[in-house]
Protein backbone atom coordinates (compact mmCIF):
# COMPACT_ATOMS: atom_id res chain seq x y z
CA UNK A 1 0.00 0.00 0.00
CA UNK A 2 1.22 3.49 -0.84
CA UNK A 3 -0.20 6.52 0.93
CA UNK A 4 0.49 10.23 0.75
CA UNK A 5 -0.91 13.45 2.14
CA UNK A 6 -3.53 15.02 -0.08
CA UNK A 7 -2.12 18.04 -1.94
CA UNK A 8 -4.73 20.51 -0.67
CA UNK A 9 -2.97 23.44 -2.37
CA UNK A 10 -3.90 21.84 -5.72
CA UNK A 11 -7.61 22.14 -4.85
CA UNK A 12 -7.53 25.54 -3.13
CA UNK A 13 -8.49 27.37 -6.35
CA UNK A 14 -11.75 25.41 -6.45
CA UNK A 15 -12.79 27.00 -3.16
CA UNK A 16 -11.39 30.46 -3.87
CA UNK A 17 -12.59 30.86 -7.48
CA UNK A 18 -14.84 27.90 -8.20
CA UNK A 19 -14.23 25.31 -10.88
CA UNK A 20 -14.07 26.36 -14.53
CA UNK A 21 -15.38 23.72 -16.92
CA UNK A 22 -15.02 23.56 -20.70
CA UNK A 23 -16.61 21.14 -23.15
CA UNK A 24 -13.82 19.98 -25.52
CA UNK A 25 -14.36 18.26 -28.86
CA UNK A 26 -12.95 15.02 -27.39
CA UNK A 27 -15.86 12.76 -26.44
CA UNK A 28 -16.23 10.28 -23.61
CA UNK A 29 -15.27 6.73 -24.62
CA UNK A 30 -18.53 5.03 -25.69
CA UNK A 31 -19.99 2.51 -23.24
CA UNK A 32 -20.05 -0.04 -26.07
CA UNK A 33 -16.22 0.14 -26.06
CA UNK A 34 -15.42 0.54 -22.35
CA UNK A 35 -18.05 0.39 -19.63
CA UNK A 36 -17.90 3.87 -17.97
CA UNK A 37 -18.68 2.30 -14.60
CA UNK A 38 -15.27 0.62 -14.64
CA UNK A 39 -12.40 2.62 -13.21
CA UNK A 40 -9.63 1.73 -15.63
CA UNK A 41 -6.15 2.93 -16.53
CA UNK A 42 -6.53 4.07 -20.15
CA UNK A 43 -6.50 7.87 -19.73
CA UNK A 44 -5.44 9.07 -23.18
CA UNK A 45 -8.84 10.54 -24.06
CA UNK A 46 -8.83 12.46 -20.76
CA UNK A 47 -5.34 13.80 -21.42
CA UNK A 48 -6.36 14.99 -24.90
CA UNK A 49 -9.53 16.58 -23.51
CA UNK A 50 -7.60 18.40 -20.77
CA UNK A 51 -5.04 19.76 -23.28
CA UNK A 52 -7.87 21.14 -25.41
CA UNK A 53 -9.62 22.63 -22.37
CA UNK A 54 -6.39 24.36 -21.28
CA UNK A 55 -6.07 26.00 -24.71
CA UNK A 56 -9.48 27.57 -24.14
CA UNK A 57 -9.01 28.40 -20.44
CA UNK A 58 -5.69 27.50 -18.78
CA UNK A 59 -7.44 26.95 -15.44
CA UNK A 60 -10.33 24.89 -16.79
CA UNK A 61 -11.13 21.21 -16.49
CA UNK A 62 -12.63 19.25 -19.38
CA UNK A 63 -16.23 18.09 -18.98
CA UNK A 64 -16.88 15.47 -21.62
CA UNK A 65 -19.97 14.73 -23.65
CA UNK A 66 -20.99 11.27 -24.77
CA UNK A 67 -21.57 10.50 -28.45
CA UNK A 68 -25.20 11.67 -28.13
CA UNK A 69 -24.10 15.07 -26.81
CA UNK A 70 -25.03 14.46 -23.16
CA UNK A 71 -22.89 15.61 -20.24
CA UNK A 72 -20.85 12.87 -18.57
CA UNK A 73 -18.03 13.74 -16.12
CA UNK A 74 -14.57 15.23 -15.74
CA UNK A 75 -11.40 13.15 -15.53
CA UNK A 76 -11.48 13.29 -11.74
CA UNK A 77 -14.98 14.23 -10.63
CA UNK A 78 -18.66 13.57 -11.06
CA UNK A 79 -20.70 16.51 -12.33
CA UNK A 80 -23.95 17.67 -10.74
CA UNK A 81 -26.19 20.63 -11.33
CA UNK A 82 -29.10 22.18 -9.49
CA UNK A 83 -32.35 23.10 -11.21
CA UNK A 84 -35.29 24.35 -9.19
CA UNK A 85 -33.85 22.99 -5.95
CA UNK A 86 -33.28 19.50 -7.40
CA UNK A 87 -29.75 18.08 -7.62
CA UNK A 88 -29.36 16.38 -11.01
CA UNK A 89 -26.59 14.01 -12.12
CA UNK A 90 -25.99 12.21 -15.40
CA UNK A 91 -27.34 8.63 -15.35
CA UNK A 92 -24.94 6.27 -13.60
CA UNK A 93 -24.92 3.85 -16.52
CA UNK A 94 -23.03 6.55 -18.46
CA UNK A 95 -20.48 7.59 -15.81
CA UNK A 96 -18.23 6.19 -13.12
CA UNK A 97 -20.51 5.86 -10.08
CA UNK A 98 -18.17 7.62 -7.72
CA UNK A 99 -18.27 7.21 -3.96
CA UNK A 100 -18.50 10.99 -3.56
CA UNK A 101 -21.51 11.05 -5.90
CA UNK A 102 -23.20 8.49 -3.65
CA UNK A 103 -22.39 10.61 -0.60
CA UNK A 104 -24.03 13.64 -2.24
CA UNK A 105 -27.11 11.55 -2.98
CA UNK A 106 -27.24 10.39 0.66
CA UNK A 107 -26.76 13.94 1.95
CA UNK A 108 -29.58 15.15 -0.29
CA UNK A 109 -31.86 12.49 1.19
CA UNK A 110 -30.93 13.50 4.74
CA UNK A 111 -31.50 17.19 3.97
CA UNK A 112 -34.80 16.61 2.17
CA UNK A 113 -33.38 17.70 -1.21
CA UNK A 114 -34.55 15.86 -4.32
CA UNK A 115 -31.85 14.00 -6.26
CA UNK A 116 -32.38 12.81 -9.85
CA UNK A 117 -30.39 11.12 -12.57
CA UNK A 118 -31.15 12.04 -16.16
CA UNK A 119 -29.38 12.94 -19.37
CA UNK A 120 -28.08 16.51 -19.26
CA UNK A 121 -27.49 18.79 -22.23
CA UNK A 122 -25.12 21.74 -22.46
CA UNK A 123 -28.21 23.96 -22.36
CA UNK A 124 -29.11 22.53 -18.94
CA UNK A 125 -25.67 23.48 -17.62
CA UNK A 126 -25.79 27.01 -18.99
CA UNK A 127 -29.18 27.54 -17.34
CA UNK A 128 -28.46 25.77 -14.05
CA UNK A 129 -29.15 27.44 -10.73
CA UNK A 130 -25.72 26.14 -9.69
CA UNK A 131 -23.32 23.32 -10.54
CA UNK A 132 -20.90 21.17 -8.53
CA UNK A 133 -18.16 18.58 -8.79
CA UNK A 134 -17.96 15.62 -6.40
CA UNK A 135 -14.59 13.95 -5.89
CA UNK A 136 -12.69 12.16 -3.11
CA UNK A 137 -9.83 14.66 -2.56
CA UNK A 138 -12.04 17.74 -1.98
CA UNK A 139 -15.49 16.17 -1.50
CA UNK A 140 -17.52 18.89 -3.24
CA UNK A 141 -16.58 21.99 -5.24
CA UNK A 142 -18.81 24.62 -6.81
CA UNK A 143 -18.60 25.46 -10.51
CA UNK A 144 -18.26 29.18 -11.25
CA UNK A 145 -17.79 29.08 -15.05
CA UNK A 146 -19.11 26.77 -17.73
CA UNK A 147 -17.77 27.25 -21.27
CA UNK A 148 -16.78 30.78 -20.27
CA UNK A 149 -20.25 31.65 -18.95
CA UNK A 150 -20.46 32.57 -15.26
CA UNK A 151 -22.70 30.40 -13.08
CA UNK A 152 -24.07 31.37 -9.65
CA UNK A 153 -21.22 30.55 -7.28
CA UNK A 154 -20.92 29.55 -4.56
CA UNK A 155 -24.45 28.24 -4.66
CA UNK A 156 -26.63 27.95 -1.58
CA UNK A 157 -27.20 24.22 -2.02
CA UNK A 158 -23.48 23.61 -2.57
CA UNK A 159 -22.72 25.42 0.71
CA UNK A 160 -25.42 23.48 2.54
CA UNK A 161 -24.21 20.10 1.24
CA UNK A 162 -20.55 20.87 1.96
CA UNK A 163 -21.38 22.05 5.47
CA UNK A 164 -23.38 18.89 6.22
CA UNK A 165 -20.65 16.67 4.75
CA UNK A 166 -18.07 18.37 6.95
CA UNK A 167 -20.35 18.17 10.00
CA UNK A 168 -20.72 14.43 9.53
CA UNK A 169 -16.95 14.03 9.13
CA UNK A 170 -16.14 16.36 11.99
CA UNK A 171 -13.91 18.39 9.65
CA UNK A 172 -14.13 21.86 8.15
CA UNK A 173 -13.57 20.64 4.58
CA UNK A 174 -13.17 24.10 3.05
CA UNK A 175 -10.93 25.29 5.91
CA UNK A 176 -8.75 22.19 5.60
CA UNK A 177 -8.21 22.79 1.88
CA UNK A 178 -7.71 26.55 2.25
CA UNK A 179 -5.30 26.00 5.13
CA UNK A 180 -7.43 28.00 7.58
CA UNK A 181 -8.67 25.15 9.75
CA UNK A 182 -10.09 21.70 9.58
Amino acid sequence: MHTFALPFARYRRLFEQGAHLVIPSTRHVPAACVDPRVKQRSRLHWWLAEQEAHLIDPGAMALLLDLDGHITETAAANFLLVQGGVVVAPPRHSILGGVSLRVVEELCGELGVSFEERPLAVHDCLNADEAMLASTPYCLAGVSRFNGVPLPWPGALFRRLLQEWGRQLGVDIRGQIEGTGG
Side-chain angles (χ1 to χ4, degrees):
M1 179 186 301
H2 174 73
T3 62
F4 59 92
L6 287 173
F8 290 131
R10 179 184 297 171
Y11 309 114
R12 195 165 291 138
R13 181 182 52 81
L14 297 173
F15 290 87
E16 293 172 348
Q17 301 172 11
H20 295 187
L21 301 179
V22 171
I23 302 285
S25 62
T26 302
R27 295 295 177 111
H28 202 286
V29 174
C33 297
V34 177
D35 187 335
R37 297 171 295 175
V38 175
K39 194 167 190 174
Q40 43 91 14
R41 293 285 207 186
S42 178
R43 309 289 290 169
L44 181 58
H45 72 291
W46 286 116
W47 186 86
L48 293 170
E50 290 294 320
Q51 299 314 302
E52 185 178 346
H54 294 159
L55 290 174
I56 298 165
D57 176 346
M61 289 182 265
L63 178 63
L64 272 56
L65 302 176
D66 64 17
L67 294 179
D68 295 321
H70 295 119
I71 299 294
T72 61
E73 57 199 339
T74 75
N78 288 113
F79 177 78
L80 304 123
L81 60 77
V82 178
Q83 288 181 324
V86 177
V87 175
V88 184
R92 271 179 246 220
H93 65 80
S94 65
I95 60 171
L96 180 65
V99 172
S100 298
L101 176 63
R102 284 185 240 147
V103 171
V104 171
E105 183 178 19
E106 290 173 13
L107 291 171
C108 285
E110 293 169 13
L111 296 172
V113 174
S114 296
F115 182 94
E116 295 179 4
E117 292 180 26
R118 63 178 163 83
L120 296 170
V122 171
H123 173 80
D124 295 317
C125 300
L126 292 170
N127 293 291
D129 298 330
E130 57 184 290
M132 299 173 266
L133 297 175
S135 185
T136 299
Y138 51 82
C139 301
L140 199 60
V143 176
S144 62
R145 296 188 76 70
F146 179 84
N147 274 359
V149 176
L151 292 178
W153 176 85
L157 196 46
F158 157 72
R159 289 192 309 260
R160 192 171 163 208
L161 287 165
L162 186 66
Q163 182 177 19
E164 180 59 20
W165 199 332
R167 187 193 69 73
Q168 289 187 17
L169 291 175
V171 173
D172 175 4
I173 296 167
R174 182 181 186 132
Q176 181 176 329
I177 290 171
E178 290 180 330
T180 60

